[in-house]
Amino acid sequence: MKKHLLAVVLGTSSFISAGAVAADVSFPHLETTGVGEVIAQPDMAVFSVEVTETRPTAKEAKQAVDKAVTAFNERLKKAGVERNDIESANIRLNPQYHYPKDQKPELTGYRASRNVTVTVKKLENLNTYLDGALGDGINGINNIQLKVSNEAEFAEQARLAAIKDAQAKAKSLAAGFGEKIDGVWKINYQPSMVRPVMMRAMAMDSGANTEASYQDSQITIRDRVEVVFRLEE
């Protein structure tokens, strides 16, 4: 006797329904969503700092900002940071006004600011670079991203784990319904984004506790795959 069409969907409502993957399949099948997860310890970082200065004239404001950025860049180079790991943004210059009641605005000066983004390939040096930034006149740390240098390797591990998870779920489901898997019919896959660990305010205060928090942080790398399996008829 010919088997009736059997479709089993295993997934979550937060993603596109796996049923859409094989909506027109006319043979017995089941669909699973495999999920893989790998925990990695960061070994590098990218941080962004900013210097903002207000002076009576635009020239003085620019010179004050450029002086701080130049000093910081030189410090990084002496510490062994490669030039292509330092990115200095263009200056932003804005006039500043005082607004007396019922009077015309009064120009009080100019505010200049610049950002510098640094890639730190040795995480143990991060605190040293941040301390140097503050010492050179940098007066703002915008954000710190902790990353892993061998990201592709961990992403591959998460992908393989997702594949195995999809296979294990399919085998379990088929056996539970008294069916047998007859190969893979379709795979729907979109690579997941690896999200770095974001750290902010704590970077403003250096010290042993802050440095330990960098070293103890973990990055979770996830991946998923949707698979349509054919069932034996």
Side-chain angles (χ1 to χ4, degrees), residues 93-193:
L93 191 63
N94 297 298
Q96 302 298 297
Y97 292 93
H98 173 60
Y99 296 91
K101 187 176 181 180
D102 300 326
Q103 297 182 34
K104 293 182 179 181
E106 299 174 355
L107 179 65
T108 59
Y110 290 83
R111 175 177 294 173
S113 61
R114 286 183 68 183
N115 290 326
V116 180
T117 301
V118 184
T119 298
V120 182
K121 294 182 177 178
K122 293 183 179 180
L123 189 57
E124 60 269 22
N125 293 334
L126 177 58
N127 243 23
T128 300
Y129 297 156
L130 292 174
D131 289 344
L134 299 177
D136 287 327
I138 302 295
N139 46 29
I141 298 178
N142 294 336
N143 64 68
I144 302 171
Q145 302 178 33
L146 303 185
K147 298 183 175 183
V148 288
S149 56
N150 53 341
E151 180 180 302
E153 178 181 332
F154 288 107
E156 176 67 12
Q157 293 178 19
R159 185 179 306 113
L160 293 176
I163 293 172
K164 291 181 179 179
D165 184 48
Q167 293 172 330
K169 289 174 180 175
K171 182 177 180 181
S172 174
L173 285 167
F177 285 97
E179 303 291 335
K180 291 185 179 180
I181 299 295
D182 189 26
V184 175
W185 181 78
K186 189 172 184 178
I187 300 172
N188 184 32
Y189 174 74
Q190 294 183 351
S192 301
M193 295 292 293

Side-chain angles (χ1 to χ4, degrees), residues 50-116:
E50 180 180 35
V51 55
T52 301
E53 295 290 348
T54 301
R55 296 289 188 274
T57 67
K59 181 179 180 180
E60 290 174 325
K62 179 182 182 302
Q63 289 176 339
V65 167
D66 288 344
K67 179 180 179 181
V69 170
T70 299
F72 181 48
N73 287 348
E74 289 301 321
R75 180 189 293 270
L76 291 174
K77 293 176 185 178
K78 290 180 181 179
V81 180
E82 298 180 6
R83 181 66 187 89
N84 57 2
D85 289 332
I86 307 172
E87 182 180 347
S88 300
N90 292 330
I91 192 169
R92 300 189 302 274
L93 191 63
N94 297 298
Q96 302 298 297
Y97 292 93
H98 173 60
Y99 296 91
K101 187 176 181 180
D102 300 326
Q103 297 182 34
K104 293 182 179 181
E106 299 174 355
L107 179 65
T108 59
Y110 290 83
R111 175 177 294 173
S113 61
R114 286 183 68 183
N115 290 326
V116 180

